[in-house]
Amino acid sequence: MPTKCSMKLLLNYLCNLFRTFNCGMATTTGLESLVDQIISVITNDGRNIVGVLKGFDQATNIILDESHERVFSTKEGVQQHVLGLYIIRGDNIGVIGELDEELDASLDFSKLRAHPLKPVVH
């Protein structure tokens, strides 16, 4: 099991690597303003992943830190699975959005019920 220190070193390495790929793409992607912010990502397979955006590249591959997946169900509350440092390929991203931390903190996820999102069909 990697230590917290080794994970932080890996995170710094990946962020520096991804910064070298940004090369002016930041303004066209609109993600630059979300770096170090908590974001929510809906993937093409219907997963909802929340974490701190640490970096991205020209293919919109993203690095999330302190991330977790929110699994929705109609029978029980939202389950949150800890993922930690997580990379999502750009071609698997459906939607990226900034998370309203105040609103998010006020929600009682144990009482929230919802159908899981279905995968994107092309």
Side-chain angles (χ1 to χ4, degrees):
M1 180 69 120
T3 65
K4 188 169 181 102
C5 182
S6 64
M7 293 301 287
K8 289 296 179 188
L9 288 172
L10 176 61
L11 173 64
N12 287 337
Y13 170 76
L14 289 171
C15 286
N16 287 332
L17 180 64
F18 273 43
R19 278 190 200 107
T20 63
F21 290 124
N22 281 343
C23 303
M25 297 296 292
T27 55
T28 60
T29 64
L31 291 177
E32 183 67 30
S33 64
L34 297 177
V35 172
D36 291 325
Q37 302 288 327
I38 298 177
I39 63 168
S40 178
V41 179
I42 307 289
T43 61
N44 291 335
D45 60 356
R47 297 172 66 197
N48 181 3
I49 300 171
V50 175
V52 178
L53 179 63
K54 288 298 185 179
F56 61 94
D57 65 9
Q58 73 276 11
T60 319
N61 298 311
I62 62 172
I63 302 172
L64 295 178
D65 194 19
E66 303 172 25
S67 66
H68 60 276
E69 179 181 359
R70 293 183 176 166
V71 180
F72 292 86
S73 167
T74 57
K75 296 181 172 134
E76 55 187 68
V78 177
Q79 295 179 356
Q80 300 197 52
H81 301 282
V82 175
L83 301 172
L85 184 61
Y86 203 71
I87 298 175
I88 304 174
R89 285 178 48 119
D91 62 356
N92 193 35
I93 295 173
V95 178
I96 298 175
E98 186 175 8
L99 196 72
D100 183 333
E101 293 180 57
E102 189 176 314
L103 177 62
D104 193 58
S106 71
L107 296 173
D108 183 357
F109 287 102
S110 66
K111 295 181 180 174
L112 207 102
R113 307 283 189 271
H115 288 280
L117 292 174
K118 295 185 181 194
V120 173
V121 179
H122 296 280

